[in-house]
Amino acid sequence: MQRRDFFKKLGTVAAITAVIPAMSFAGDAKPVSPNKMDYDTAVKTITGGKTPKPSKKVKLKVPEIAENGAVVPVTVTIDSPMTADNYVKAIHILNGKNSNSRCIDVYLTPANGKAMFSTRIKLAGTQNVTALVELSNGEFLIASQSVKVTIGGCG
């Protein structure tokens, strides 16, 4: 046996010895998302404990029935003058049942001109989608709508 062949075989044995123990534990442990946060915790974290008020100023547009939970369109529009004294600071889109309730956080300034945001989110199943809006005066507004999901999008 030549020296090169010896080192090739030694490297193969070392790699196999390292992989086999790792594979034996892979089925036992479930991955835990660092972002795992339920709906109530997410709302308290965003609002700092304040109670958001339902408002007709917040227009939440999501389909009543989503055929595929992996791509659910969401549009939020807020009736706001977007002036230096009175504007929307943030739009938070939340869901009720996914392991992480925070879908997206969008931060705005008066320079945006219009308080509006559109995106697509993933939903694991039928649940509520909520728009939580932070205003420049420290108030929080909320709007929510139920979405029936026929095929879940989160695994």
Side-chain angles (χ1 to χ4, degrees):
M1 181 183 293
Q2 291 186 352
R3 195 168 92 190
R4 285 186 185 174
D5 290 333
F6 172 76
F7 283 116
K8 283 182 186 177
K9 291 179 183 177
L10 181 64
T12 304
V13 170
I16 290 172
T17 328
V19 170
I20 290 176
M23 288 174 52
S24 66
F25 292 114
D28 298 340
K30 290 185 179 181
V32 176
S33 171
N35 297 326
K36 189 173 182 177
M37 185 180 293
D38 66 19
Y39 177 81
D40 292 330
T41 304
V43 171
K44 286 178 187 172
T45 301
I46 293 167
T47 63
K50 293 180 182 176
T51 303
K53 296 186 293 186
S55 175
K56 293 189 184 219
K57 288 183 177 185
V58 180
K59 309 264 187 298
L60 175 62
K61 183 181 174 187
V62 292
E64 290 181 17
I65 299 173
E67 291 183 24
N68 185 352
V71 286
V72 179
V74 177
T75 301
V76 181
T77 308
I78 300 97
D79 183 22
S80 171
M82 295 301 283
T83 62
D85 298 335
N86 185 4
Y87 65 97
V88 173
K89 282 179 74 172
I91 301 170
H92 306 276
I93 302 196
L94 309 169
N95 62 68
K97 293 184 180 176
N98 290 2
S99 63
N100 182 11
S101 286
R102 290 178 88 160
C103 295
I104 192 162
D105 303 309
V106 179
Y107 297 93
L108 306 172
T109 68
N112 289 100
K114 186 174 183 180
M116 182 254 188
F117 180 72
S118 188
T119 189
R120 295 184 184 273
I121 62 173
K122 287 185 177 185
L123 296 176
T126 300
Q127 57 189 293
N128 284 335
V129 173
T130 302
L132 180 61
V133 177
E134 181 180 0
L135 302 177
S136 59
N137 64 4
E139 287 184 64
F140 289 91
L141 305 178
I142 196 167
S144 193
Q145 184 176 330
S146 178
V147 178
K148 182 178 180 182
V149 177
T150 57
I151 301 172
C154 294

